[in-house]
Amino acid sequence: MSRRYEPQQRLPGWDQARLAKSTALIVGVGGLGSPAALYLAAMGIGKLILVDPDTVEEVNLHRQPLYSPSELGQLKVEVLAQALQRLRPDLEVEKHPIWADQPFLERVGAAADIWIDGTDNLPSRLTLDEVAYRLGKPWVYGAIYQWEGQAALLHGMRYRDFFGDGAEGPACSEAGVLGGVPGIIGSLQASLAAMYLSSPEAAPTGRLFRIDLRSGDMGPFALGLPTELPLEISFAQACQLEGSYWIVMGEAAPQTFPVPFEWRPWYGWEGWQLPESPLVLVCEAGNRSRQIAFALRKKTGRKDIYSLAGGW
């Protein structure tokens, strides 16, 4: 084994030989996928399967620094493969300049030990989630938005189980993104994948890691599947949840809302003073409120904390 991995091999329980025999499928090699590929290669993975039909574009260079102006118009998988093999001549790289649809994942993805989500659109992520769950493949979810990002290692549970079908947010080109954020999340994805490949039983499966550079908030959420947590507003109104207290989270409070509520920023939720009455949390799309509702249930032991499914 190369001396380059000696510091890593000193980690308790680390199995470098197991990582060296492993294969990772990276779907999307842009802002998330390229740093994930870089660090998996540097840490000593045996093989990478790179999947992306896109070419290098100037508008992406601020958050994809592995690509350069001299490579504009070239396929990302080709450029990235060359960079990775300069770093690791012994690394095996397989390139696919196509979309990773369901038949592809079933055929090519089945040969990988873990999948990395570097996609930037919801339909691709849901397809990856569905096929990974059906094939029993672990995968590492990642997402970014402006100043924030999140990642999770999923195995034996689905993205849909926690986030539902999600909501298609604006692309980075529309909403904007701080260039370093994808690097943080992509590196985190690579680290979670390498931990799983080295020691599956010790990897932090089922925990959502979040970071928000603007608020300074960061930390993990335990993912869980309590069946009574999602709450549609029509159901809430029908049941009237007598005496319930509603908290709406977001950058600003909605102009109109069908029930009385209090507006609070979502960060700082760990220090919230909670009412004794049933609590309904609401955010714009229903994802963050679901995470915080579950975290508050776990922290307090209460079962009367809900999230409004679909958001406001």
Side-chain angles (χ1 to χ4, degrees):
M1 191 71 68
S2 171
R3 288 196 62 195
R4 70 189 298 165
Y5 307 119
E6 284 183 0
Q8 192 165 265
Q9 288 175 278
R10 295 192 181 99
L11 293 170
W14 188 261
D15 190 338
Q16 188 69 34
R18 185 168 182 168
L19 179 63
K21 296 176 182 177
S22 299
T23 298
L25 170 74
I26 302 183
V27 181
V29 294
L32 294 175
S34 57
L38 175 66
Y39 272 97
L40 280 171
M43 287 186 282
I45 197 169
K47 180 178 178 179
L48 292 175
I49 303 174
L50 309 179
V51 188
D52 197 319
D54 291 343
T55 57
V56 178
E57 297 183 48
E58 185 176 14
V59 72
N60 297 330
L61 295 182
H62 84 290
R63 66 182 184 279
Q64 300 176 17
L66 279 175
Y67 306 119
S68 69
S70 65
E71 295 158 341
L72 295 179
Q74 298 182 40
L75 287 166
K76 288 181 181 178
V77 292
E78 295 288 351
V79 176
L80 180 57
Q82 294 172 15
L84 295 175
Q85 291 182 315
R86 286 194 295 270
L87 174 71
R88 279 266 317 281
D90 63 322
L91 175 67
E92 185 179 352
V93 181
E94 185 176 319
K95 300 162 290 182
H96 296 273
I98 60 175
W99 290 109
D101 57 13
Q102 180 174 326
F104 176 88
L105 292 171
E106 291 173 342
R107 185 180 73 257
V108 177
D113 300 295
I114 198 167
W115 299 356
I116 307 293
D117 168 28
T119 63
D120 59 0
N121 67 86
L122 186 61
S124 295
R125 178 170 297 135
L126 293 177
T127 298
L128 192 152
D129 176 51
E130 176 186 346
V131 180
Y133 184 75
R134 180 154 29 89
L135 297 182
K137 292 290 180 182
W139 67 287
V140 187
Y141 153 68
I144 54 173
Y145 178 75
Q146 295 186 338
W147 314 86
E148 62 188 270
Q150 59 188 32
L153 170 60
L154 304 176
H155 192 202
M157 66 179 297
R158 296 180 300 178
Y159 172 91
R160 274 188 175 93
D161 290 333
F162 192 69
F163 295 99
D165 285 335
E168 186 73 86
C172 292
S173 59
E174 300 168 334
V177 62
L178 183 67
V181 171
I184 295 170
I185 300 302
S187 301
L188 175 57
Q189 289 180 279
S191 299
L192 290 171
M195 291 170 68
Y196 181 89
L197 294 171
S198 168
S199 306
E201 66 285 347
T205 305
R207 293 179 67 81
L208 182 73
F209 296 89
R210 293 188 56 90
I211 179 171
D212 187 331
L213 296 180
R214 184 167 53 176
S215 69
D217 187 86
M218 60 182 67
F221 292 89
L223 302 184
L225 310 175
T227 57
E228 72 273 25
L229 183 56
L231 179 68
E232 297 283 357
I233 194 167
S234 58
F235 175 80
Q237 290 175 314
C239 296
Q240 296 185 347
L241 280 177
E242 186 174 353
S244 61
Y245 193 89
W246 292 61
I247 294 178
V248 175
M249 303 175 289
E251 295 298 325
Q255 295 297 313
T256 61
F257 202 71
V259 297
F261 69 93
E262 175 190 354
W263 177 84
R264 297 185 188 182
W266 73 270
Y267 47 86
W269 62 268
E270 290 180 302
W272 283 357
Q273 295 296 315
L274 302 181
E276 295 182 359
S277 54
L279 180 64
V280 181
L281 304 183
V282 188
C283 68
E284 291 181 339
N287 293 333
R288 181 171 284 158
S289 61
R290 193 163 192 253
Q291 299 163 14
I292 294 176
F294 179 77
L296 287 174
R297 283 186 174 211
K298 185 174 181 181
K299 177 182 178 182
T300 64
R302 291 173 53 174
K303 295 184 179 180
D304 62 346
I305 300 175
Y306 303 90
S307 167
L308 180 66
W312 56 268

